[in-house]
Amino acid sequence: MTAAHTRTDAYAEQLRAVARHLGRRHFLTVTGAAAALAFAVNLPAAGTAAAAELDGRRLTEDPFTLGVASGDPLPNSVLLWTRLAPRPYETGGGLPAGTRVAVEWELAHDERFRRGVRRGTALAHAEFDHTVHVEVDGLAPGRDHFYRFRVGAWTSPVGRTRTAPAPGARPAAVKLAAVSCQAYHDGYFTAYRHLADEDLDVVLHLGDYLYEYAVNATGGARAYTDRTLPDVFARETVTLEDYRLRYALYKSDPDLMAAHAAHPFAVTWDDHETENNYAGDIPENGVPPEEFLIRRAAAYRAYWENQPLRRPQRPTGPDMRLYRRLRFGRLAQFDILDTRQYRSDQAYGDGWQTPGPASEDPSRTMTGAAQERWLLDGWRDSRATWNVLPQQVVFSERRNLPTDAYKLSMDSWDGYPASRRRVLAGAEAAGIENLMVLTGDVHVAYGLDIKADFRDPASRTVGTEIVATSISSGRNGADRPANYDNLTRANPHLRYYNGRRGYVTVALTEDSARADFRTVSAVTTPGAPVATAASFVTEAGRPGLTPA
């Protein structure tokens, strides 16, 4: 099959995907769907000639301005990522349109590449904004590897990655970090510089990798003195070009590049990678469905292009299967959720509302039926000591006031309590003893005991929820936010609450899990130190947090 035929088939499949969604509510002509899709994802028209190959030796500027990354570690495989962008703040990264570039890659046991493991060549296509996704197989489990890319005279920074333990292995420990919410306009990504120095097996990014809002010429809270940002960032992201350029802005941050180069990431999105608080195919504002699905297709495509994700996650139109499972021997199973793409619309118009029949409706879903079945089936088959659920929004109940007049967040699992009950019932039926939920979204750190029945304070504890604060969103924050007293009094299962920026690390062993909440003193100025604000332990077989 020729390259032109392959692209024609891909175009047709993308077109069918958008048309399926649009057909739910109203008729859309095939011509209209084709025009919408071409606008959204910039696919070549049928019959387009094969792309011309650009000789990397002709590049006079460093194409590796956005660094390198790895992701989704398996026992015998890693995914390596980079993007060629000699001028990242320009459309196409400064490379000629319609070209492809051969990129050499290397994997070794040492960072000087004297003990090579694998090498090869991948093509960076203009259709995917000259991003490269290399799946390297046949590797030894539980081992560090170093990697780099080359084009012409240019060599990328060196990255370090680590394969997962063998399927039947019982590693002494698995150490992860959870991060979320990195608004460029709110401050520096200082926490990532410290994260790069941690000894970790994997970093779980729990959403809001970027924000769709306009960024002003000086980068918001970032105190630039030597440059201003191009006008292309002073608008909300809507088109594929908008999202691609926004990823270039975020990925040009040196602290984020350092973290990606130091550790493999496993990523999932929340809302801002597309649009604030969208729910399934329902946008935040009342725009026509075809307009939002065009935007969603563009956002999903740019997300896959710019993240270290494997081929099964590559989107088709406005659809992308992001939920997936990673196993770290017999010690930990990670069931990574997507709580945006399939959820019911928020009850009562979203926000903090008094719960009622609409939010309590048993038919409401946070995950969609297929993902819920996948999760519960995976738990039934699990042989891991720890079953970890990386996902986006707060899982445990969170009342805003210690009175009967309390409200709940309709965007969190509190707005979908029937869905939460089904998940907890599934965990109990599967015999899951050590459930740990990892959460982002709220720009604060929480440690929560998950209760079998949140309406009964004496109800037994069935799991632990660790909420990672933001990298920068919300600016500097405070140790005790304004609602600290109300929230801690209203929710006795809330064992820890802090509003500073940072991340959380979790060390899992056969006997226990230790969570260290790491915070920086400021993000509106660069270079702040990091400190451990608090540490908690939960023992295997005895869910619930105790101070370490």
Side-chain angles (χ1 to χ4, degrees), residues 352-475:
W352 287 79
Q353 307 291 345
T354 302
S359 60
E360 295 281 350
D361 186 340
S363 68
R364 290 178 55 71
T365 179
M366 177 66 86
T367 62
Q371 184 178 195
E372 184 179 292
R373 286 194 302 271
W374 167 86
L375 174 63
L376 302 190
D377 288 346
W379 279 346
R380 281 193 290 270
D381 295 337
S382 175
R383 299 296 180 267
T385 300
W386 294 95
N387 285 273
V388 184
L389 194 63
Q391 55 93 53
Q392 293 74 29
V393 294
V394 175
F395 185 84
S396 303
E397 185 174 89
R398 195 170 37 126
R399 301 183 181 189
N400 71 327
L401 292 173
T403 69
D404 291 340
Y406 68 87
K407 294 181 179 181
L408 302 173
S409 169
M410 294 296 107
D411 190 57
S412 72
W413 287 80
D414 278 339
Y416 305 76
S419 196
R420 179 171 58 200
R421 286 193 293 271
R422 289 193 297 270
V423 167
L424 291 178
E428 182 175 16
I432 300 301
E433 294 183 348
N434 300 306
L435 172 64
M436 176 174 287
V437 178
L438 299 178
T439 300
D441 181 54
V442 287
H443 311 169
V444 297
Y446 294 140
L448 296 130
D449 292 343
I450 300 173
K451 293 293 188 177
D453 182 358
F454 287 104
R455 293 166 295 186
D456 179 8
S459 175
R460 62 192 176 90
T461 300
V462 296
T464 298
E465 182 173 11
I466 303 295
V467 180
T469 187
S470 64
I471 292 291
S472 63
S473 302
R475 300 202 174 190

Side-chain angles (χ1 to χ4, degrees), residues 19-72:
R20 282 195 296 270
H21 273 283
L22 294 170
R24 292 177 184 174
R25 295 182 181 166
H26 62 89
F27 176 78
L28 184 74
T29 66
V30 173
T31 301
L37 183 61
F39 170 77
V41 297
N42 195 28
L43 285 169
T48 298
E53 185 157 343
L54 176 66
D55 188 343
R57 292 174 295 183
R58 294 172 52 194
L59 293 179
T60 59
E61 299 174 87
D62 181 5
F64 298 110
T65 57
L66 304 178
V68 300
S70 69
D72 281 13

Side-chain angles (χ1 to χ4, degrees), residues 439 442-448 465-470 478-479 481 484 494-504 517-519 533:
T439 300
V442 287
H443 311 169
V444 297
Y446 294 140
L448 296 130
E465 182 173 11
I466 303 295
V467 180
T469 187
S470 64
D479 290 326
Y484 183 91
L494 176 59
R495 308 300 302 278
Y496 177 69
Y497 180 18
N498 183 283
R500 292 287 184 187
R501 306 296 146 244
Y503 56 92
V504 61
F517 292 93
R518 305 275 279 161
T519 59

Side-chain angles (χ1 to χ4, degrees), residues 6 28 70 162 218 239 241 321 343 347 385 398 441 473 480 486:
T6 301
L28 184 74
S70 69
R162 182 178 293 171
T218 57
T239 68
E241 179 187 1
R321 177 166 169 166
R343 64 159 68 190
T385 300
R398 195 170 37 126
D441 181 54
S473 302
R480 289 200 171 200
N486 278 335

